Amino acid sequence: MSRRALITGITGQDGSYLAEHLLSEGYEVWGLVRGQANPHVARLRKHIGDVQITTGDLLDQGSLISAVELVQPDEVYNLGAISYVPMSWQQAELTAEVTGMGVLRMLEAIRVVSGISPSRTPDREQIRFYQASSSEMFGMVRETPQNEKTPFHPRSPYGVAKTYGHYITQNYRESYGMFAVSGILFNHESPRRGAEFVTRKVTLGAARIKLGLAAELRLGNMDARRDWGFAGDYARAMRLMLAQDSPEDYVIGTGKTQSVRDLVEFAFSTVGLDWQDHVVLDAKYTRPAEVDLLCADPKKAREQLRWEPAVGFEELVTMMVESDVRLLSESARPEDEPFSPDHW
């Protein structure tokens, strides 16, 4: 019998790569979406293939219980969130409800359907739960690089909500004996990344200017440094975490950092342009509370999961720029892409 997985946020970048990976491993894959009329579902199926869909909403406890009862999954991957950090200041309450409380609701759905209580612990064949935690939880970092024991100091409503989700996952593991883990994933990108994220904004900007569709690209803080990897590599790590004998949390990243300036310079050089001729600094793109440096220490994942990233930074940026040149050359609009930034 193949294993059955339920993925929230399946119409996002990470959900699409995870679905592809699980299908390649012989899983039956189900995605949770907020409505069958969701226009991204048809495009997702076109790109990903044999994915089954059920409805549910991270804001609605009853719908999650119904979805878990219907699917009867072996594994649940909670990737659904409002994941664009700048938006979290504009919609702080909604971010808390979806990105934070949504984790609690999914854990409760699994607990209720499984009949788990303080007096009834789960059996060996229990549903395994993965929570998508974030390096944004580290925020104003206490040490570099950051590992599983580094204290959190989030600097955005998004980071605060992710920190709640991380701790409630840990709490359900310790309170009920549930197989519940968090992957603390550092920045991971791809051609499927939403156009509002800085990496994709840069690669789309370089492609537009190369093709004569724009003259400039406006950006905020160019000095922030991030640990950037390929989303497809990080999807592999998610499955590996749920394949272990015991539930533990893991930091996933490359252990290397580049600045936004490095990203811009390499993206523009990929299409034969000098970024300094086209990039304009604009204060409106600066965060209210900036996170200056995030760098992973993935030693535990490397040693226990045997996980290593396969795609390096320059290969990743080249992949994204070339994809965006093709996309814009075909007169497609980025907003029509199948992988939605609105994926809870």
Side-chain angles (χ1 to χ4, degrees), residues 7-140:
I7 303 172
T8 72
I10 196 168
T11 63
Q13 168 192 254
D14 292 6
S16 69
Y17 280 109
L18 178 60
E20 282 183 328
H21 177 60
L22 294 179
L23 287 168
S24 73
E25 294 290 328
Y27 279 65
E28 178 183 326
V29 176
W30 287 71
L32 184 84
V33 300
R34 281 181 292 159
Q36 291 287 359
N38 188 321
H40 298 286
V41 171
R43 292 198 288 270
L44 175 76
R45 283 192 170 126
K46 178 181 177 182
H47 283 76
I48 303 303
D50 190 19
V51 173
Q52 301 190 64
I53 299 296
T54 187
T55 56
D57 192 330
L58 290 174
L59 297 175
D60 179 7
Q61 180 73 77
S63 73
L64 299 181
I65 292 173
S66 296
V68 174
E69 284 182 330
L70 171 68
V71 177
Q72 293 292 310
D74 299 291
E75 300 171 2
V76 172
Y77 294 85
N78 185 47
L79 311 185
I82 293 177
S83 56
Y84 184 46
V85 175
M87 186 185 293
S88 72
W89 278 282
Q90 300 166 18
Q91 296 182 296
E93 183 178 355
L94 183 61
T95 299
E97 285 289 344
V98 175
T99 306
M101 289 296 292
V103 186
L104 171 63
R105 294 186 187 103
M106 182 54 80
L107 284 164
E108 269 293 283
I110 294 170
R111 186 189 69 80
V112 169
V113 172
S114 303
I116 299 169
S117 68
S119 61
R120 184 180 183 278
T121 57
D123 59 31
R124 291 184 67 253
E125 300 305 317
Q126 67 170 296
I127 298 171
R128 297 189 170 204
F129 175 80
Y130 171 86
Q131 164 59 15
S133 287
S134 169
S135 60
E136 289 287 331
M137 300 186 305
F138 294 119
M140 186 180 291

Side-chain angles (χ1 to χ4, degrees), residues 68-304:
V68 174
E69 284 182 330
L70 171 68
V71 177
Q72 293 292 310
D74 299 291
E75 300 171 2
V76 172
Y77 294 85
N78 185 47
L79 311 185
I82 293 177
S83 56
Y84 184 46
V85 175
M87 186 185 293
S88 72
W89 278 282
Q90 300 166 18
Q91 296 182 296
E93 183 178 355
L94 183 61
T95 299
E97 285 289 344
V98 175
T99 306
M101 289 296 292
V103 186
L104 171 63
R105 294 186 187 103
M106 182 54 80
L107 284 164
E108 269 293 283
I110 294 170
R111 186 189 69 80
V112 169
V113 172
S114 303
I116 299 169
S117 68
S119 61
R120 184 180 183 278
T121 57
D123 59 31
R124 291 184 67 253
E125 300 305 317
Q126 67 170 296
I127 298 171
R128 297 189 170 204
F129 175 80
Y130 171 86
Q131 164 59 15
S133 287
S134 169
S135 60
E136 289 287 331
M137 300 186 305
F138 294 119
M140 186 180 291
V141 298
R142 311 284 184 87
E143 62 184 11
T144 298
Q146 294 89 51
N147 60 36
E148 292 81 4
K149 296 182 180 180
T150 301
F152 299 139
H153 187 150
R155 297 267 284 171
S156 66
Y158 169 80
V160 172
K162 280 290 186 182
T163 302
Y164 173 83
H166 181 86
Y167 279 132
I168 200 65
T169 300
Q170 174 182 297
N171 183 261
Y172 268 59
R173 179 170 70 221
E174 295 176 353
S175 298
Y176 297 110
M178 294 172 64
F179 196 110
V181 307
S182 291
I184 307 173
L185 271 56
F186 280 64
N187 294 65
H188 45 289
E189 317 297 329
S190 76
R192 301 176 188 174
R193 179 55 107 176
E196 71 276 19
F197 290 84
V198 68
T199 46
R200 190 74 194 290
K201 182 178 180 181
V202 167
T203 61
L204 274 168
R208 284 193 177 105
I209 293 169
K210 177 65 176 178
L211 296 172
L213 302 175
E216 67 178 26
L217 173 64
R218 305 185 79 85
L219 296 171
N221 181 8
M222 298 272 285
D223 296 319
R225 300 186 67 86
R226 292 291 186 271
D227 183 331
W228 277 302
F230 173 52
D233 287 338
Y234 290 46
R236 290 190 290 109
M238 298 176 194
R239 187 187 69 84
L240 289 171
M241 289 180 215
L242 294 193
Q244 302 306 298
D245 292 334
S246 59
E248 297 184 37
D249 302 329
Y250 295 87
V251 160
I252 302 296
T254 70
K256 301 175 183 178
T257 68
Q258 286 82 24
S259 67
V260 175
R261 183 174 282 101
D262 295 332
L263 167 68
V264 171
E265 181 176 4
F266 190 76
F268 275 76
S269 68
T270 300
V271 290
L273 297 175
D274 184 340
W275 70 271
Q276 296 181 82
D277 295 334
H278 304 284
V279 174
V280 178
L281 297 183
D282 190 331
K284 79 176 184 179
Y285 295 112
T286 302
R287 295 182 180 185
E290 186 58 79
V291 175
D292 297 317
L293 171 66
L294 293 173
C295 181
D297 176 2
K299 180 181 178 181
K300 180 179 177 182
R302 186 169 58 247
E303 293 181 350
Q304 295 188 18

